[in-house]
Each structure stands twice: as structure tokens, then as C-alpha cells.
């Protein structure tokens, strides 16, 4: 496995590799969710590359960026274990050289939910992923369904900017109690960690109501609120029942199209998100 730190090293390494090429963009502190993306990338491609870059532009709170967990040695060992060929570990200056002054800003699909709750977040995501897609030129790139809106934003960005990399969404990997794996879980206190699966239970309660025939958006949102309100450590930011293509909030869930249940909940200083597709 080769570790590449600069654009030049990356370009030279990529000139020689077999195709197709699969890219797994990450912010490090790798866990089994990242590993599942790497495995899928290996299964689909002749060559696989991960990027590890804690992207300052996608953090809407400076403190969240500062305390984001980092451990390059451990991350590289995981990439090696997963059999990756290349890992791109750029510095902030390598991605955003002096004088950098462009923002990629996706429209409607980036506005609700995480876009509304975290101003500037998706501009940062779309900008860094556009740069990575351009530098790497992979045929395929792998993202987690856990960040469902992020997948939609990146698909829109790639389509609109005529970037030929195909965006592939992979299933959410969870702990045994349902909590979606996330690098931020490391910040949860033991009591918060014990409380956190309420987010998954809320989504599943709404899914059950939907499976039993409930089609009212408010009915399904109530189902989520009810479960979340049983947990004193859970401070919900939003619950959503939205169109699975536009993320517009739904009054009624249609029988013929994809819909998405999602929620963001704070436990102490740690903000977690999760979602459940209805289709
Ligand atoms: P991050 O390092 O948190 O930016 O995540 C890098 C990629 O891993 C993103 O595409 C995430 O959606 C994905 N990811 C994060 N957590 C999970 C998970 N629990 N299951 C599957 N994919 C995940």
C-alpha cells in the first residue's frame, strides 16, 4: 500500500494503476462503516484508493473541527488490513493552496435538514469532494447511506459539474444495539452511549407505523418524537419525513415513490444523525 501526501505524488501513482479505480473518501478515525465501503470498493475495482482528510470547510463549528478524532497510524493500519492499494493523506494546504477561493454550492437538495441545521456544511462537502473527484479521476466512489443527504448532494454536484465518477451508496453499518457507527461516537459519555440507540428506535417506530398503514407525515413525525421524548439525554434537532428524491417534507407519504425518515439528535455535545428509507 502506498501513502501519498501531495497532488504530485497522487498523480504519479495514478498514472500506473489498473482500472477501474474505486475511491473511498473519509475523514479518518476509521471504523467498520468505512471498512464496509473499502470492501465494496475492492470487490468492484482493480485498484482502490481511500482519502483521509478532516475537511475544515465542512465543519460549521470550529470546536467540532478541533476535537474531531484523528489517528493516522491506526487509520493507515486499517487501510492496509483492508487491502487498499493507495491512500491519499493530504494536508489542508495541499487541498486548499494559498489563494484558494472557490466554493461549490449545491442547490435545493442541500438546503433542508443538515443543510438548514449546519450552515455551510454542504458547501464544504461539495467543494472538497469535487476536488477529490477531480484529482483522483476514479470510475467509482463509495459513500455511506448513513449520510443520505450527503449522497444526494454529491450526486447532484457530480452530475452538474460533468464529473464522470459514479457515486455508489452503501448500507449503514450499526452496533448490535442499532446505533450507526460514527467517528463522533467516541465523544459519547457512557450514559450518552447507552441513550444513543433511541435515535434508531425512533426511526424504526415510525417505519413500523408506516408498515401498518400510516401515511400522514405528521403521524410519522409524532411517532419519532414520542420515542425520542422517552430519553432525557436526547435533545432532538429535527425529525423528518421527506421525499426521497427532493427531501421536501411530506404531508402524506406516497405509495409509489421513495421517502426518507431522518433525524438529528444531540447527546451532550455530540450530534448524531441517522435515517431510514421507506420504499
Ligand atoms: P466520514 O469519515 O464520517 O466522513 O465518513 C466517510 C464515509 O463513510 C462517508 O461516505 C460516510 O457516509 C461513510 N460512513 C460513516 N459511517 C458509516 C456507517 N456507519 N456505515 C456506512 N458508512 C458509513
Amino acid at each position: 500500500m502506498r501513502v501519498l501526501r501531495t497532488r504530485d505524488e497522487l498523480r504519479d501513482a495514478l498514472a500506473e494503476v489498473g482500472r477501474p479505480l474505486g475511491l473511498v473518501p473519509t475523514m479518518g478515525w476509521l471504523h467498520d462503516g468505512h471498512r464496509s465501503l473499502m470492501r465494496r470498493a475492492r470487490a468492484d475495482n482493480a485498484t482502490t484508493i481511500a482519502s483521509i482528510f478532516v475537511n475544515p470547510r465542512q465543519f460549521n463549528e470550529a470546536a467540532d473541527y478541533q476535537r474531531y478524532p484523528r489517528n493516522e497510524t491506526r487509520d493507515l493500519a486499517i487501510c492496509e488490513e483492508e487491502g487498499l492499494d493507495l491512500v491519499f493523506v493530504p494536508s489542508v494546504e495541499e487541498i486548499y493552496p494559498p489563494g484558494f477561493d472557490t466554493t461549490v454550492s449545491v442547490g435545493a437538495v442541500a438546503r433542508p435538514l443538515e443543510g438548514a441545521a449546519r450552515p455551510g456544511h454542504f458547501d464544504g462537502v461539495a467543494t472538497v469532494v469535487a476536488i477529490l473527484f477531480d484529482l483522483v479521476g476514479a470510475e467509482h466512489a463509495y459513500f455511506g447511506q448513513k449520510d443520505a443527504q450527503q449522497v444526494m448532494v454529491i450526486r447532484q454536484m457530480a452530475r452538474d459539474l460533468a464529473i464522470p465518477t459514479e457515486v455508489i451508496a452503501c448500507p449503514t453499518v450499526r452496533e448490535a444495539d442499532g446505533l450507526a457507527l460514527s467517528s463522533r461516537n467516541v465523544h459519547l459519555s457512557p450514559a450518552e452511549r447507552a441513550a444513543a440507540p433511541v435515535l434508531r428506535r425512533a426511526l424504526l417506530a415510525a417505519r413500523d407505523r408506516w408498515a401498518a398503514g400510516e401515511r400522514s407525515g405528521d403521524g410519522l413525525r409524532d411517532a419519532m418524537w414520542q420515542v425520542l421524548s422517552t430519553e432525557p439525554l436526547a435533545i432532538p434537532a429535527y425529525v423528518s419525513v421527506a421525499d426521497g428524491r427532493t427531501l421536501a417534507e411530506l404531508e402524506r407519504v406516497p405509495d409509489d415513490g421513495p421517502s426518507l425518515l431522518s433525524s438529528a439528535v444531540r447527546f451532550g455535545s455530540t450530534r448524531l444523525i441517522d435515517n431510514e428509507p421507506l420504499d
Side-chain angles (χ1 to χ4, degrees):
M1 186 180 83
R2 292 180 60 193
V3 179
L4 315 162
R5 296 190 184 274
T6 67
R7 294 177 180 221
D8 287 349
E9 287 172 10
L10 178 66
R11 194 186 45 236
D12 290 351
L14 290 174
E16 301 165 357
V17 301
R19 296 283 174 158
L21 173 63
L23 167 67
V24 181
T26 81
M27 297 206 300
W29 201 260
L30 301 177
H31 51 63
D32 285 354
H34 300 113
R35 284 184 193 260
S36 75
L37 305 185
M38 292 173 184
R39 285 175 198 167
R40 174 73 198 275
R42 273 198 75 192
D44 290 355
N45 298 280
T47 305
T48 47
I49 178 168
S51 59
I52 301 175
F53 179 62
V54 184
N55 174 31
R57 288 179 178 244
Q58 74 184 71
F59 288 82
N60 54 310
E61 289 173 20
D64 189 28
Y65 174 63
Q66 295 302 336
R67 75 168 193 158
Y68 199 83
R70 294 160 168 93
N71 187 335
E72 185 183 304
T73 310
R74 182 172 160 274
D75 286 344
L76 291 178
I78 289 173
C79 292
E80 181 108 54
E81 257 176 56
E82 293 302 332
L84 295 191
D85 301 293
L86 304 169
V87 186
F88 183 44
V89 194
S91 65
V92 172
E93 296 71 34
E94 201 61 36
I95 293 295
Y96 304 116
F100 185 94
D101 195 19
T102 293
T103 299
V104 179
S105 191
V106 172
V109 81
R111 273 182 215 119
L113 306 176
E114 290 301 282
R118 304 182 62 194
H121 169 64
F122 283 127
D123 284 0
V125 169
T127 301
V128 78
V129 175
I131 294 167
L132 289 171
F133 278 13
D134 193 38
L135 290 175
V136 175
E139 279 78 11
H140 307 123
Y142 298 84
F143 294 86
Q145 185 62 36
K146 193 201 66 131
D147 300 286
Q149 189 178 15
Q150 171 169 278
V151 173
M152 297 170 74
V153 167
I154 290 167
R155 284 208 171 114
Q156 181 83 45
M157 178 279 292
R159 193 162 58 234
D160 292 351
L161 299 184
I163 299 176
T165 302
E166 184 189 350
V167 173
I168 296 163
C170 302
T172 303
V173 176
R174 301 177 179 283
E175 304 279 6
D177 61 8
L179 177 64
L181 297 191
S182 164
S183 305
R184 289 189 174 85
N185 292 351
V186 70
H187 295 311
L188 297 168
S189 72
E192 290 160 0
R193 172 64 189 82
V198 74
L199 172 52
R200 173 74 173 151
R201 289 203 307 277
L203 290 162
L204 291 181
R207 199 198 154 85
D208 286 349
R209 285 267 275 273
W210 172 78
E214 175 69 88
R215 292 294 179 269
S216 147
D218 279 343
L220 297 172
R221 282 182 279 268
D222 279 351
M224 288 188 258
W225 280 120
Q226 268 177 30
V227 175
L228 291 172
S229 68
T230 62
E231 176 46 69
L233 292 181
I235 304 158
Y238 62 77
V239 298
S240 164
V241 181
D243 183 292
R245 280 185 282 256
T246 66
L247 296 182
E249 287 301 309
L250 293 173
E251 231 168 275
R252 291 196 68 75
V253 174
D255 283 322
D256 60 345
S259 306
L260 187 74
L261 306 172
S262 66
S263 178
V265 178
R266 211 175 258 282
F267 298 87
S269 58
T270 305
R271 187 174 179 282
L272 302 181
I273 59 172
D274 202 350
N275 67 80
E276 181 67 19
L278 299 179
D279 39 32

